[in-house]
Amino acid sequence: MTEWSALVRSGRAATTARCRRAARRLRHPERPPEAGIPRSVQVRVLLAVLDESVAALRSADTAVAACGASDGASGQTARDCARALSGFHRLRARLTDLPITESDLADVRAYAGRLLAYDQWMVHQALNVAFTVHPGARTEAARLELNGLGRPADDLRRLRDALRAISRNEERREERHEERHI
């Protein structure tokens, strides 16, 4: 058994990884976002992450619904949920790292982060209910009611669509501004 697999089996791998990340942050403290990034670039970058988030919702929604299947959840469902959980985690980290300096866009980023956190929590709870170690009538009834991520996923889609509309308006405004100065 290698040293790494021994760490993984002992559960210390997560702690070791957290310690490494903390040490890296101490050596290289996070720099504040650079000023001077054009608003249109900030909108496009935020929109790209929201597009990926909405794409991730499709598979996560299907995985949560599969947790509530009448014939029970399968091993594939567990793998799909795990993939969705890690995807949401990465997307939330990317949102946090975006160089957003505009206050309204920072509000959009924060709201999107909260919606992704809810979706991540929902997938986690669906896994807990579908693969419980203490099955009971109430747990089974709750599992059978699972049918997807629900309204917060729809809210994330609407947020992405609203930001896309803002992006189009800003692009048109920039084009008009450039035409005037030609």
Side-chain angles (χ1 to χ4, degrees), residues 2-75:
T2 66
E3 181 180 334
W4 178 250
S5 61
L7 277 175
V8 169
R9 286 207 169 98
S10 70
R12 292 189 335 230
T15 306
T16 304
R18 267 188 256 133
C19 290
R20 272 192 234 126
R21 283 193 301 270
R24 197 175 319 121
R25 279 193 302 270
L26 288 174
R27 283 193 303 264
H28 306 288
E30 294 182 24
R31 296 178 190 96
E34 296 179 26
I37 298 175
R39 178 181 171 81
S40 60
V41 172
Q42 293 179 39
V43 169
R44 281 194 300 265
V45 170
L46 183 55
L47 187 57
V49 175
L50 289 180
D51 282 337
E52 286 183 48
S53 301
V54 169
L57 288 176
R58 290 183 197 109
S59 61
D61 200 38
T62 304
V64 169
C67 286
S70 59
D71 58 345
S74 66

Side-chain angles (χ1 to χ4, degrees), residues 83-98:
R83 231 176 270 116
L85 284 171
S86 64
F88 286 146
H89 178 75
R90 281 192 301 274
L91 286 165
R92 287 178 59 206
R94 286 187 52 205
L95 268 176
T96 304
D97 292 342
L98 290 178

